[in-house]
Amino acid sequence: MSANPLIELTIDGKKVSVPAGTTVFDAARTNDIAIPTLCHQQNERPVGVCRVCVVDVGARVFTASCIRPVEAGMVVNTASDKVKRARRTLVELLMSDHPAPCARERHSGDCELEALAKRESVPPSRYAPRADRRGTDDSSMSIAVDFDACILCDRCIRGCSDIRENFVLGRMGKGVTAGIAFDNNAPMGDSSCVSCGECMVSCPTGALTNKLVAQTRIARTPDSEPVPLEVLQELPFFQGVSGTFLSLNRNAVVRRHFKPGEIICREGEYGSTAFYILEGKAKVSISSPIAHVKTRGTIRKFLGKLSSRLTQRQNDARDEEKDQHWIHIDAPLDLSYDNPVATLGPGDLCGEMTCMSLYPRSATIQAATDCTMLEMLRNVLDIMQRNKSFRAQLDRSYRERALDSHLRAVPVFAGLTGEFIDGLRENVELLRFAPGQVICRQGDPADAFYLVRVGFVKVSQAHPGGDMVLAYLSRGDYFGETGLLRGDVRTASCTALDHVEVVRISAQDFSTMTKLFPDVRQKFEVANEARMQMNRTRLSVISSTPLESFLTQGLMEAQSLLLLDLNSCTRCDACVLACADAHDGVTRLVREGLRFDHYLVATSCRQCLDPLCMVGCPVGSIRRRNSLEVIIEDWCIGCGLCAENCPYGNINMHPFNVSADLPDAQGKKKATIKQKATSCDLCSDFAEPSCVYACPHDAAHRVEPRKFFAGLLQQSADKTSPH
């Protein structure tokens, strides 16, 4: 007896025989009888949620053919007038909520719902769309989400769970509030989605589509070649990714070949790509002179000339610099301050921050041997980073090669032993955060210490008057120690400003470390007290100054302002000329800016309490001392990002003549120009700033804004108050 006996039935007047257990839908399909459907695909288990595949089997109600098994003698009608009317009504209801034309229809013209509506001659919907609209989710680098185009067919859920076994997608809500969700209703970009693309390929509408972002194609060069789809699929970090998805993104990755000595990318240049080394070795280095800008007076009198020179650390030591031995760059390692050169090899990824956040290149990369690399845009890098095996490879490489130097690059950790770091190696967690994602929240229990590995973190404190920004942290900085040292809760919230990766050290490991190394704990306590004092200073500003009159102008953020009294100023520009004469002809002062009462706030560095200039520096060379003074370190590569970020135009780029190595002639030098960022130094070599001294009408004044404006506002209040 056959294990699968045949069942005879009639479909649309046609006698057919199919194995027992076959659904009506498959019985019709195998006999060339088409039944429309939206929720059913042959590679997914049927669920019967769209009901568009309804047929008449002679029962009390129509049935969904994709889940109804055949029965002996069954008579099926798939296209009667009643069935067609029911089908059109179902499609009309789906179309009432559908944003036609949806993204899929606009981009490729193959939205299955809209195609079915046209084929069934469905008229404009008579039904009102639901009032509660979820809108779009733009958080993923690779996939665009339009919840309003979703018809709840569950094809994406089954593709994610049954086919790829990632279990990211599911349903949430009931009734009219039902919808798909990523993890626990997180934005797609913040979820555990690995960007395999199966949900997008499965989706019948424009609810999940390939993200059409700017620059989805890398410009071709003589040393680059496109990577065929079959080759991409053979690479381990693209295993499990949908071929259709890779095909849609194939122009966003190229394979490039470099000969020894060829420059792959240069420090300071803006870029949008990352490089993954397949074969060969590359040298990563900083060619900019390791020296900061020092302004010195040439004669000892007012209005004397100041000359800006590049000065090395040993000739002009700064406080807090003696323990800084490493320069953090956009690569899986740091560069030694004394010899900023290192080697990258197969399996290394560099340029991650440039690619994800469009920052300037942090270092120059040059082929040391014949090199083969993949160069990719953000959408491809995002796919790779979400691949579990690729992430494991990067994390393993970081633990083995970079964790030691990363910890030792932080002065407070300089005393840790190799034995302790070896024990810590497997315990730390490496976490990723999307832009805007909260890493830890003020008031939560202090359960871990964090070391910034990639990206920028904003530290802020909530107060009755609003959030106060305490700091911007980059690679090599840390946070979370305050609550752990006090055994208390978080005192501030930390949020990812861009693509951020952190090293998480548990509270238990942090406690063990501070017990085994008392000097480390002492350094933490000293640094923490300095931070707390700085925060108290800022908080006193908020609580003691009438803010409403000048908060919106950003004046409260300044520590030092150059004010011009417009009642006395004759617009002679003597202040500007004096500044230019004092700084090699490059003025650090512009007689334009905000106005408050009869004062002009001239454009000159304010030493802001919230220094936006620090955000994005690819090598972390601009920082703020605990005295709140913003300084530019000597490894500044002259990319100019800080000057662009300064909202007041108070940072300038100063050119210097230096000697550089000729790439094709070893040992020979050539004259070239390198830029360094500079800002107002208050003419520190003189008794008084040149701009103030030069004013013939006593109209220029350097003031501490909180005291000055508080007094000014108080005088105004005294004049208007009744006696």
Side-chain angles (χ1 to χ4, degrees):
M1 186 174 178
S2 172
N4 294 295
L6 295 180
I7 300 292
E8 292 187 353
L9 69 156
T10 302
I11 304 178
D12 290 345
K14 182 180 180 180
K15 295 280 188 180
V16 300
S17 297
V18 295
T22 303
T23 63
V24 172
F25 182 91
D26 287 337
R29 178 180 57 82
T30 55
N31 286 278
D32 298 322
I33 300 172
I35 299 176
T37 183
L38 291 172
C39 71
H40 182 49
Q41 289 193 122
Q42 294 180 44
N43 63 335
E44 295 179 354
R45 58 185 172 84
V47 291
V49 293
C50 77
R51 316 305 285 187
V52 171
C53 67
V54 292
V55 294
D56 184 357
V57 296
R60 182 175 61 86
V61 294
F62 294 158
T63 186
S65 62
C66 67
I67 57 173
R68 178 65 185 267
V70 298
E71 296 176 3
M74 178 181 282
V75 177
V76 180
N77 197 322
T78 70
S80 68
D81 289 342
K82 287 185 177 180
V83 170
K84 286 183 177 179
R85 282 199 302 272
R87 189 173 293 141
R88 280 198 296 269
T89 300
L90 288 166
V91 174
E92 185 181 349
L93 283 166
L94 291 173
M95 285 295 295
S96 68
D97 286 329
H98 188 72
C102 65
R104 180 165 179 165
E105 185 68 18
R106 293 194 305 271
H107 297 158
S108 54
D110 64 343
C111 170
E112 294 179 32
L113 173 60
E114 294 184 46
L116 182 58
K118 293 175 185 176
R119 192 164 62 247
E120 296 289 335
S121 300
V122 174
S125 182
R126 298 162 290 171
Y127 308 105
R130 60 185 176 207
D132 185 21
R133 313 288 279 184
R134 291 182 66 188
T136 59
D137 177 359
D138 196 47
S139 60
S140 170
M141 289 284 182
S142 310
I143 300 174
V145 183
D146 184 352
F147 290 109
D148 294 335
C150 175
I151 60 173
L152 288 177
C153 65
D154 285 358
R155 275 164 55 170
C156 60
I157 297 174
R158 285 171 285 154
C160 180
S161 300
D162 297 350
I163 297 176
R164 296 297 178 185
E165 297 185 351
N166 287 320
F167 304 100
V168 178
L169 277 161
R171 278 203 184 204
M172 58 164 279
K174 295 181 179 180
V176 295
T177 64
I180 63 166
F182 304 92
D183 291 340
N184 190 22
N185 198 26
M188 189 181 195
D190 299 345
S191 71
S192 57
C193 169
V194 296
S195 291
C196 73
E198 190 64 44
C199 60
M200 180 198 72
V201 175
S202 300
C203 181
T205 70
L208 296 162
T209 55
N210 181 55
K211 195 166 187 180
L212 300 178
V213 296
Q215 291 185 309
T216 55
R217 178 188 293 272
I218 294 181
R220 296 287 187 261
T221 60
D223 60 5
S224 69
E225 61 184 37
V227 188
L229 176 61
E230 58 272 16
V231 175
L232 282 178
Q233 290 179 309
E234 291 175 359
L235 296 172
F237 33 81
F238 288 132
Q239 289 181 1
V241 178
S242 159
T244 302
F245 191 69
L246 284 178
S247 179
L248 289 168
N249 288 279
R250 65 184 179 277
N251 291 323
V253 57
V254 297
R255 184 165 47 196
R256 298 189 63 186
H257 304 281
F258 299 94
K259 296 178 181 178
E262 281 192 86
I263 299 296
I264 298 164
C265 61
R266 294 184 186 276
E267 65 192 57
E269 293 180 347
Y270 279 82
S272 59
T273 59
F275 296 91
Y276 179 76
I277 302 178
L278 294 172
E279 298 174 353
K281 293 184 178 181
K283 181 180 76 171
V284 56
S285 62
I286 289 180
S287 60
S288 184
I290 306 298
H292 62 252
V293 180
K294 174 66 176 176
T295 304
R296 292 197 177 105
T298 57
I299 51 178
R300 299 178 61 83
K301 66 177 182 178
F302 285 130
L303 293 186
K305 294 285 185 181
L306 291 175
S307 178
S308 295
R309 296 186 178 90
L310 294 179
T311 305
Q312 294 182 333
R313 181 183 294 183
Q314 61 266 29
N315 299 324
D316 183 41
R318 291 171 169 176
D319 293 339
E320 310 166 25
E321 285 185 337
K322 60 182 182 298
D323 295 327
Q324 184 69 44
H325 301 297
W326 299 90
I327 301 172
H328 304 294
I329 60 170
D330 186 11
L333 41 72
D334 299 311
L335 299 182
S336 169
Y337 178 91
D338 298 320
N339 183 29
V341 180
T343 301
L344 301 174
D348 282 335
L349 176 71
C350 53
E352 186 176 357
M353 281 306 302
T354 296
C355 182
M356 299 297 287
S357 303
L358 305 180
Y359 290 149
R361 303 285 185 191
S362 63
T364 296
I365 302 178
Q366 184 178 26
T369 65
D370 286 323
C371 259
T372 301
M373 297 185 174
L374 288 183
E375 183 179 11
M376 68 205 74
L377 292 170
R378 285 190 299 169
N379 43 349
V380 172
L381 178 59
D382 187 63
I383 296 171
M384 292 174 61
Q385 288 181 322
R386 291 174 179 273
N387 182 284
K388 295 175 183 177
S389 60
F390 181 68
R391 281 307 314 172
Q393 173 192 325
L394 289 183
D395 291 350
R396 183 169 57 254
S397 175
Y398 173 80
R399 292 175 194 272
E400 293 173 355
R401 296 178 51 201
L403 178 62
D404 194 323
S405 63
H406 192 178
L407 285 173
R408 295 185 190 281
V410 182
V412 74
F413 289 135
L416 296 181
T417 63
E419 182 181 2
F420 179 80
I421 294 176
D422 288 340
L424 197 63
R425 216 176 287 279
E426 295 304 319
N427 292 341
V428 299
E429 292 182 76
L430 307 178
L431 306 178
R432 303 169 72 240
F433 295 91
Q437 192 172 356
V438 176
I439 302 172
C440 59
R441 199 178 301 275
Q442 183 177 343
D444 287 350
D447 59 352
F449 171 84
Y450 296 90
L451 182 65
V452 182
R453 175 184 174 194
V454 172
F456 289 84
V457 175
K458 180 178 72 174
V459 183
S460 60
Q461 243 177 16
H463 293 279
D467 286 352
M468 179 177 69
V469 176
L470 302 180
Y472 294 104
L473 308 178
S474 60
R475 181 178 171 94
D477 291 324
Y478 56 84
F479 57 95
E481 79 287 356
T482 301
L484 293 175
L485 291 173
R486 293 167 33 174
D488 204 347
V489 297
R490 302 284 185 198
T491 58
S493 295
C494 297
T495 308
L497 280 180
D498 45 29
H499 170 78
V500 167
E501 298 183 21
V502 297
V503 181
R504 183 183 185 274
I505 299 176
S506 69
Q508 181 177 351
D509 285 333
F510 182 85
S511 176
T512 302
M513 176 173 61
T514 53
K515 287 178 181 177
L516 290 176
F517 303 95
D519 59 325
V520 170
R521 182 179 182 90
Q522 183 181 10
K523 290 178 181 178
F524 268 128
E525 289 176 342
V526 170
N528 183 62
E529 179 54 36
R531 283 186 180 183
M532 297 297 288
Q533 181 57 46
M534 182 177 68
N535 297 343
R536 285 192 290 269
T537 300
R538 298 201 64 193
L539 186 57
S540 68
V541 172
I542 291 180
S543 59
S544 64
T545 305
L547 301 180
E548 64 277 3
S549 300
F550 63 100
L551 252 181
T552 55
Q553 298 191 58
L555 303 182
M556 190 275 290
E557 288 298 324
Q559 294 189 92
S560 174
L561 289 179
L562 174 62
L563 294 186
L564 301 180
D565 187 341
L566 298 180
N567 289 341
S568 304
C569 178
T570 63
R571 284 66 168 176
C572 65
D573 266 351
C575 54
V576 177
L577 295 173
C579 183
D581 287 344
H583 296 93
D584 301 335
V586 181
T587 184
R588 302 182 185 181
L589 162 65
V590 178
R591 192 176 51 78
E592 293 179 0
L594 299 169
R595 295 195 179 197
F596 182 84
D597 196 25
H598 60 280
Y599 291 96
L600 172 71
V601 182
T603 300
S604 181
C605 183
R606 304 177 175 190
Q607 305 293 337
C608 295
L609 294 174
D610 184 5
L612 296 175
C613 55
M614 293 170 56
V615 178
C617 177
V619 291
S621 64
I622 184 167
R623 67 177 178 87
R624 185 170 63 193
R625 288 171 164 165
N626 290 332
S627 62
L628 302 186
E629 177 191 0
V630 175
I631 63 170
I632 299 170
E633 297 281 15
D634 47 7
W635 57 85
C636 165
I637 61 173
C639 67
L641 185 59
C642 56
E644 292 182 22
N645 282 347
C646 176
Y648 314 112
N650 294 337
I651 295 181
N652 303 302
M653 303 307 298
H654 197 303
F656 294 93
N657 293 317
V658 298
S659 296
D661 293 328
L662 277 170
D664 300 326
Q666 190 173 4
K668 293 187 177 181
K669 303 273 187 180
K670 67 173 181 178
T672 186
I673 294 177
K674 290 286 187 179
Q675 293 194 121
K676 291 279 189 176
T678 60
S679 61
C680 176
D681 60 354
L682 300 179
C683 295
S684 55
D685 272 24
F686 298 137
E688 190 173 15
S690 296
C691 55
V692 174
Y693 181 79
C695 180
H697 308 290
D698 195 31
H701 303 276
R702 272 282 176 181
V703 302
E704 197 283 318
R706 296 177 294 280
K707 295 178 182 178
F708 179 83
F709 285 107
L712 193 66
L713 291 170
Q714 186 60 50
Q715 291 175 19
S716 177
D718 292 341
K719 290 179 182 178
T720 57
S721 62
H723 294 285

